[in-house]
Amino acid sequence: MAGRTVAVVGGGCSGVLAARELLRGGDRVKLVEPGEPGGGLAYGTARPWHLLNSRAGAMSADPDDPGHFARWAGASADEFRPRAEYGRYLREVFDGLSGVEVVQARATGLSAHGVALEGGREVRADEVVVATGNPAAAQPAARPEHPDYIADPWRPGALEAIPSDVPVLLVGAGLTAVDVVLTLTADGRRDAPITAVSRRGRLPLAHTPVPAPPTSVPFGQARGLRDLVRIVREAASRAGDWRAVVDGLRPVLDQLWGSFSAAEQEQFLRHLARPWECHRHRMAPSVGATVDALREEGRFEVRAGGVRSMTAPPAGGLLVELEAGVQWFGAVVNCAGPGRLPAAAGSFAGNLLDEGHARLGPHGLGLDIDPQGRVIAADGRVRDGLWLIGPLRRGARWETTAVPEIRSQARALIDRGK
């Protein structure tokens, strides 16, 4: 399969890593991206105080050189570096690739000979790799059309426009909410409190400054989800640091996810996914310390529950009905995680679904794929030459949003079809 022309749709982390590996395998690469390759949402919009939530030693673009990023950054393997710095690293990695044709345009779907672009043009290619990143964020059911409701906190200038003397509500309490809190309090001038609300009211937990070695879990005897949860809890109590057990599970998470029945997967999503995410996707230690200090000072609080309604009073801001009653906020910021497909699919993936080139993956978390990563069409047939890497594999896989896993998926493209 080597030596073919491959169009990579998406120029974020997934797209850069895919392009790098395809070139190594001898393919010709056309990268379709309307912006600058290498940034992506996670890194291109980050501020100096936004840190990676993985250590530098895990973030290399090269599977054969785990220390590549740490050396580039002049950092130790255990450090948590700025996300904006990692964006510069990815751009430098991309700039060092020889032979990539960059097509600065927005892909709208597939064409008869490759990828269709806005304006009626197309990119001709033998194969296509979908590397478009995360689905769009979920939106609360009570979402209003109002200037004080910020649907996208990464929109340039959105957070800076919020006055420092009005209370702010964050809908969601994950890593995006943490980033927003850091931005709103960065200059030290915020007088009014920030409240985050989520169904469980749980923030991500924090890494330790020095990692404990991963601990393997004897899950071979587990009979279903309930039994596995018991085994993991017992292992965590024996290990002393639950982080070692969580990190030890990482290499086998896709295997475990695939072993669950559809009902068990749905049960996990309803009851265990959020606690798992809090343990798995952790804050850098310094970020955790900052958040703890803000909570102790009363400048930031986290509540359990949901948003029942939002209304706009004539004087501005939003009246939000929460579990504890109605409260006025000068701004409401959506910090929810990725939404479910098809609503959150994005224009390119949404078009693949609409045209029957793809079908929904399990639970609407992503697109469906075969074991090799090829997209499965609406008629159940595998689409030869249409590949998927990155977060949109979720559902068919579980552990597919972090750099080490995406890096492995990109490397596997070299041997695709063999």
Side-chain angles (χ1 to χ4, degrees):
M1 300 292 288
R4 310 197 81 192
T5 299
V6 184
V8 176
V9 180
C13 180
S14 298
V16 169
L17 298 184
R20 181 184 182 277
E21 296 300 331
L22 289 165
L23 289 170
R24 288 185 66 257
D27 293 300
R28 298 174 294 277
V29 177
K30 299 180 180 181
L31 186 125
V32 184
E33 165 59 43
E36 181 181 13
L41 182 63
Y43 313 115
T45 57
R47 305 297 295 273
W49 45 84
H50 293 149
L51 303 184
L52 295 168
N53 66 313
S54 293
R55 302 175 195 274
M59 299 297 288
S60 172
D62 187 349
D64 301 320
D65 185 3
H68 186 261
F69 170 64
R71 290 197 311 276
W72 179 91
S76 73
D78 288 344
E79 283 186 56
F80 294 84
R81 304 297 295 181
R83 286 213 308 273
E85 179 183 66
Y86 191 70
R88 294 193 296 273
Y89 167 72
L90 288 176
R91 286 190 286 274
E92 189 166 308
V93 167
F94 184 79
D95 290 342
L97 301 179
S98 178
V100 180
E101 178 184 342
V102 178
V103 181
Q104 285 198 299
R106 190 173 303 279
T108 59
L110 298 184
S111 67
H113 304 289
V115 176
L117 306 177
E118 277 186 343
R121 294 184 297 140
E122 71 171 354
V123 172
R124 297 179 73 92
D126 302 308
E127 299 180 79
V128 176
V129 175
V130 182
T132 51
N134 276 303
Q139 297 289 336
R143 171 186 180 175
E145 295 296 332
H146 191 274
D148 292 324
Y149 175 77
I150 299 172
D152 178 12
W154 304 115
R155 179 171 52 82
L159 299 180
E160 288 75 9
I162 299 175
S164 61
D165 59 350
V166 300
V168 176
L169 178 68
L170 312 183
V171 183
L175 290 171
T176 298
V178 171
D179 286 342
V180 171
V181 168
L182 295 179
T183 297
L184 292 177
T185 59
D187 59 9
R189 292 183 298 155
R190 168 155 290 279
D191 302 320
I194 302 169
T195 300
V197 61
S198 70
R199 185 164 64 92
R200 292 179 176 270
R202 299 179 68 164
L203 286 170
L205 298 169
H207 286 275
T208 53
V210 178
T215 298
S216 60
V217 176
F219 63 87
Q221 302 299 316
R223 295 179 178 85
L225 177 61
R226 186 185 298 273
D227 208 21
L228 177 64
V229 170
R230 177 186 59 78
I231 291 171
V232 170
R233 286 174 173 164
E234 290 174 354
S237 65
R238 290 194 302 269
D241 185 350
W242 53 264
R243 297 169 184 83
V245 173
V246 169
D247 294 343
L249 281 169
R250 185 168 175 174
V252 296
L253 284 176
D254 283 348
Q255 177 185 346
L256 292 171
W257 177 254
S259 72
F260 297 155
S261 67
E264 286 177 318
Q265 289 180 352
E266 192 61 46
Q267 184 181 12
F268 175 86
L269 292 172
R270 284 199 310 270
H271 302 295
L272 297 173
R274 180 57 188 156
W276 170 258
E277 295 292 285
C278 289
H279 288 78
R280 164 66 184 88
H281 296 286
R282 308 191 284 271
M283 295 183 282
S286 61
V287 172
T290 298
V291 170
D292 286 344
L294 290 170
R295 297 181 76 180
E296 290 173 5
E297 294 165 5
R299 301 169 65 193
F300 175 47
E301 67 168 336
V302 183
R303 300 182 192 173
V307 174
R308 296 178 177 175
S309 67
M310 293 189 217
T311 56
L318 290 162
L319 287 171
V320 183
E321 184 181 5
L322 302 171
E323 299 282 335
V326 176
Q327 186 173 344
W328 182 86
F329 294 95
V332 177
V333 184
N334 183 45
C335 299
R340 302 253 183 143
L341 278 62
S347 59
F348 185 77
N351 186 278
L352 294 182
L353 291 168
D354 291 342
E355 297 294 326
H357 299 302
R359 72 181 184 187
L360 290 178
H363 316 289
L365 298 175
L367 302 179
D368 208 4
I369 56 171
D370 76 347
Q372 284 71 49
R374 294 176 297 181
V375 173
I376 298 177
D379 61 6
R381 299 180 183 180
V382 173
R383 281 294 309 262
D384 286 327
L386 182 59
W387 305 85
L388 176 67
I389 72 168
L392 280 178
R393 284 191 176 195
R394 199 157 209 189
R397 304 291 182 271
W398 182 258
E399 189 67 21
T400 186
T401 62
V403 168
E405 285 71 34
I406 297 172
R407 186 174 60 207
S408 296
Q409 295 168 18
R411 171 57 56 90
L413 291 171
I414 295 177
D415 297 322
R416 68 194 188 283
K418 294 182 180 179

